[in-house]
Amino acid sequence: NAGVTQTPKFQVLKTGQSMTLQCAQDMNHEYMSWYRQDPGMGLRLIHYSVGAGITDQGEVPNGYNVSRSTTEDFPLRLLSAAPSQTSVYFCASRDEDRDNEQYFGPGTRLTVT
Amino acid sequence: GESVGLHLPTLSVQEGDNSIINCAYSNSASDYFIWYKQESGKGPQFIIDIRSNMDKRQGQRVTVLLNKTVKHLSLQIAATQPGDSAVYFCAENPHRNKFYFGSGTKLNVKP
């Protein structure tokens, strides 16, 4: 199993540009989530999904959209990037039937200039 | 958001010693508390969790203690090794599918 994969690893955007961060998992997990991690800080939940067609907001959802059309994929869209969205983004998945262990991807480092 | 914080941002220990990493939480309604380890350039990795109705849980070389009276959580690592050097985060889930992370403690293991 590849686990949780994320693309791209690095991305530089100009203010106002849009892009999609990709996340995929091959563990057949229903639960998937997106976090951002700013320097010296913990992770903050952006959006999460408990299954295909079901998404909900986390702590910091503004400026981000998500959709979940398949169990495997959970893309995160930035419609109009802002410098405040410069961060490292992590995707995670979890088997809801097996406690709280979330499996994290390697992250995408995004810089908005 | 919820407040999950750490007392010490950096902890340095000698290889072979025991490490204790502390965390304060604010939401008494959280059902679980979780510890993660994050090595440089990688995503967090689950270490251990504890349910709110427990005081102590042990894993391999790790022990988590929960003190609900003072809303305090700690992670004890026995016989700390160089491979334990990382940033450690505590997290809580006051809602079933929402997890809130603290700001992290960096553990440096000196050889």
Side-chain angles (χ1 to χ4, degrees):
Chain A
N1 286 352
V4 179
T5 58
Q6 293 183 238
T7 56
K9 291 189 187 302
F10 302 94
Q11 182 71 50
V12 179
L13 290 178
K14 294 187 187 302
T15 297
Q17 287 185 317
S18 63
M19 80 158 296
T20 299
L21 278 63
Q22 301 292 343
C23 174
Q25 53 93 9
D26 60 0
M27 297 173 283
N28 201 35
H29 289 167
E30 291 296 328
Y31 181 92
M32 295 186 74
S33 55
W34 275 103
Y35 293 86
R36 61 176 288 173
Q37 184 175 33
D38 298 312
M41 295 182 65
L43 285 77
R44 289 185 291 169
L45 181 65
I46 304 172
H47 286 285
Y48 67 94
S49 169
V50 296
I54 306 170
T55 63
D56 206 346
Q57 297 180 349
E59 281 182 273
V60 289
N62 292 340
Y64 308 94
N65 282 351
V66 292
S67 60
R68 185 94 179 271
S69 56
T70 67
T71 300
E72 293 78 20
D73 300 297
F74 190 42
L76 178 72
R77 280 184 291 276
L78 284 71
L79 298 179
S80 180
S84 61
Q85 293 178 304
T86 294
S87 190
V88 180
Y89 291 84
F90 289 100
C91 177
S93 73
R94 175 171 73 99
D95 180 349
E96 288 186 282
D97 294 331
R98 289 194 61 195
D99 57 53
N100 300 293
E101 181 171 0
Q102 292 195 74
Y103 295 83
F104 283 84
T108 294
R109 184 174 294 275
L110 175 67
T111 301
V112 183
T113 62
Chain B
E2 306 296 337
S3 172
V4 180
L6 295 170
H7 296 305
L8 296 173
T10 305
L11 177 66
S12 293
V13 299
Q14 205 69 38
E15 181 179 356
D17 287 351
N18 296 334
S19 302
I20 299 176
I21 301 170
N22 297 303
C23 175
Y25 65 91
S26 63
N27 196 319
S28 300
S30 292
D31 198 27
Y32 281 95
F33 301 89
I34 309 110
W35 282 100
Y36 281 88
K37 172 186 180 182
Q38 186 177 29
E39 295 175 310
S40 181
K42 297 183 178 181
Q45 181 180 9
F46 174 91
I47 302 172
I48 190 170
D49 65 355
I50 185 168
R51 195 163 187 176
S52 59
N53 61 356
M54 300 172 66
D55 297 324
K56 179 180 180 179
R57 190 176 185 202
Q58 289 184 296
Q60 187 176 12
R61 276 201 311 120
V62 296
T63 300
V64 57
L65 299 178
L66 177 62
N67 185 330
K68 293 180 286 293
T69 302
V70 294
K71 296 181 182 177
H72 183 268
L73 184 71
S74 70
L75 177 71
Q76 300 179 2
I77 304 173
T80 312
Q81 302 169 0
D84 294 326
S85 292
V87 177
Y88 290 80
F89 295 96
C90 63
E92 60 175 331
N93 70 330
H95 311 283
R96 174 173 164 75
N97 289 310
K98 293 185 178 181
F99 295 85
Y100 295 99
F101 283 71
S103 55
T105 291
K106 184 174 183 179
L107 177 65
N108 290 324
V109 182
K110 297 176 286 186

